[in-house]
Amino acid sequence: MAVLPFSPTPFFANKNQAFWNLQLLGWGGATMLRVMSAVANDQPAERLVIILIATITGFSLSLILSVVYNYLIAQRPLVTWGSTAVVLMFATGIYAFIDSWVLEVAGTSSSGSFVSLFVGIYFFDLTLLGAWSALYYAINFFLQVEEQSDRLERLEAQATSAQLAMLRYQLNPHFLFNTLNSISTLVLLKQTEPANAMLTRLSSFLRHTLVTQPGGKVSVAQEAETLQLYLSIEKMRFEDRLRTNFRIEDRAAKAQVPSMLLQPLIENAIKYGVSPKEEGAEISLLAQIVGPRLRITVSDTGPGVDVGGVADDLPAVMATHKRRDSTGVGLANIRDRLAQAYGDDHRFEIRSPESGGFTVLIEIPHELADEEEPPAAAQGTLAEKQATALAVNPPSAPQKVSTKP
């Protein structure tokens, strides 16, 4: 997986320009201090020429040092610091020699000999070039640390995206197996129209799972439309044993949720609420805005489950005498997706009263969905829509879908 390019601090976005800006600012400031000192001490005007020559010499030597340091900074620490010390001492020697020679030629030196003048200037120039060298390494090490931190954040973001994709693509194979098995049965019974309708709906549903972004978000209305497509497939299997009741407030319909977040909840409700009971069960979905948050409740009137032993940090269905086959994978999947998308800023609870039934409550920040095109599940070819319209659905109780203001 490719790592996105590094985006440095704005000042260092153009490293070459930043270097020259710092060069001019640093050496210009040092020159102004020396000029102000010379003026304050009533030194002759010739002293300003000597200061200008010293500045040009230091500026030129620092350019050479930048090339050498740029090579040394990539070496092992022992080589870097050892070579830097040697190069700095040598460059300072050249700097001090030129300064001493200029002072000697100008006749402004008060020292008795050239050697004593050289030694005195050497330590001053060593301080100046040493400070420049320390600043050069500090800035470059800062940029390296910033780049490593930026890459780490991008890798973590990509790992999160990959994990979201993995969780999103965990479509229960039992659903596919049961649907394909039902289609095969209908074909053997020569009921081609219901088989074609079920196959068309399955195709549209699977297309939607592939088209939507793994870590993307859709509106609650789009998510509900996808669930209706999924339920239309299951209703052909369970007939009137599967009853649904969707209640979505107008404001909640425009809120954002991670795509395919609710499908595992509906699938669990069908598997553990509708299948075990001969009379079936009703699955309800309620979406509403509570303050600044979106609250979604999915419940069924099935046999329920004992949640007494479920840990707070792992709200997955435990195997009980009521739901012996439950593994909690679907609930754990949703919990992980919510944690990846919202961190600790979400609520995920499961409830199952003694009288039966099972409820999952999800509460997330209220985010408005952008205006988008209709979801892929609602789109299809004319042939698909005609096949669905011509399908003969088994008799079932009327589906109650209401919108509450």
Side-chain angles (χ1 to χ4, degrees), residues 10-307:
F11 182 81
F12 295 101
N14 188 330
K15 193 173 180 181
N16 288 332
Q17 183 177 353
F19 172 80
W20 286 108
N21 289 340
L22 291 174
Q23 275 282 92
L24 295 173
L25 182 64
W27 285 106
T31 303
M32 288 299 298
L33 287 176
R34 297 179 72 174
V35 169
M36 292 173 62
S37 176
V39 172
N41 293 318
D42 295 327
Q43 294 185 1
E46 292 80 2
R47 186 69 180 180
L48 300 180
V49 178
I50 296 175
I51 293 175
L52 180 60
I53 294 174
T55 300
I56 295 174
T57 304
F59 187 90
S60 302
L61 286 172
S62 65
L63 293 180
I64 298 175
L65 288 177
S66 67
V67 176
V68 177
Y69 290 168
N70 186 57
Y71 170 77
L72 292 177
I73 200 172
Q75 307 303 315
R76 293 178 298 174
L78 183 61
V79 176
T80 298
W81 301 122
S83 301
T84 297
V86 173
V87 172
L88 179 60
M89 300 293 284
F90 181 74
T92 303
I94 296 176
Y95 195 6
F97 177 82
I98 295 176
D99 284 349
S100 301
W101 179 77
V102 171
L103 289 174
E104 189 76 19
V105 171
T108 58
S109 173
S110 59
S111 301
S113 64
F114 181 83
V115 175
S116 59
L117 177 62
F118 174 83
V119 172
I121 294 178
Y122 184 89
F123 289 103
F124 175 81
D125 290 345
L126 178 62
T127 302
L128 193 60
L129 288 182
W132 184 94
S133 301
L135 185 61
Y136 179 89
Y137 277 113
I139 292 175
N140 279 275
F141 281 129
F142 165 76
L143 290 177
Q144 288 183 0
V145 171
E146 187 184 37
E147 181 176 358
Q148 291 175 357
S149 176
D150 185 81
R151 285 180 177 177
L152 180 60
E153 290 179 0
R154 291 172 184 272
L155 287 173
E156 288 178 349
Q158 289 177 333
T160 300
S161 178
Q163 187 171 2
L164 284 172
M166 178 194 69
L167 294 172
R168 231 287 266 113
Y169 286 138
Q170 285 182 348
L171 187 63
N172 195 329
H174 293 294
F175 159 67
L176 288 176
F177 173 79
N178 291 333
T179 303
L180 293 175
N181 187 52
S182 298
I183 293 174
S184 176
T185 302
L186 291 173
V187 171
L188 291 176
L189 295 176
K190 300 187 183 303
Q191 298 183 20
T192 56
E193 290 184 351
N196 185 41
M198 183 177 285
L199 186 60
T200 299
R201 295 171 184 177
L202 176 62
S203 174
S204 298
F205 177 76
L206 293 179
R207 184 191 305 111
H208 176 72
T209 64
L210 294 175
V211 169
T212 54
Q213 293 294 330
K217 296 180 180 179
V218 297
S219 67
V220 174
Q222 291 173 334
E223 185 77 356
E225 193 169 359
T226 304
L227 293 178
Q228 295 285 11
L229 181 59
Y230 169 75
L231 286 168
S232 68
I233 299 173
E234 295 289 24
K235 284 180 69 66
M236 296 186 72
R237 294 177 52 224
F238 291 96
E239 301 181 350
D240 57 350
R241 295 174 59 205
L242 172 58
R243 302 175 295 279
T244 59
N245 179 18
F246 281 20
R247 290 177 293 161
I248 302 175
E249 293 183 352
D250 289 339
R251 290 179 59 201
K254 300 178 182 179
Q256 283 188 328
V257 294
S259 63
M260 298 296 294
L261 178 71
L262 304 180
Q263 188 271 338
L265 292 180
I266 301 297
E267 186 172 342
N268 267 359
I270 293 175
K271 184 176 181 181
Y272 302 115
V274 178
S275 296
K277 299 181 66 174
E278 183 177 352
E279 68 277 16
E282 180 179 88
I283 300 175
S284 301
L285 184 146
L286 172 63
Q288 56 188 348
I289 302 299
V290 181
R293 305 180 72 78
L294 168 66
R295 178 180 295 174
I296 300 176
T297 306
V298 178
S299 59
D300 66 71
T301 58
V305 63
D306 181 12
V307 297

Side-chain angles (χ1 to χ4, degrees), residues 347-367:
R347 180 182 175 192
F348 180 53
E349 296 180 0
I350 57 176
R351 302 168 182 173
S352 185
E354 292 294 333
S355 57
F358 188 75
T359 301
V360 176
L361 185 146
I362 296 174
E363 204 171 86
I364 57 178
H366 179 206
E367 301 173 354

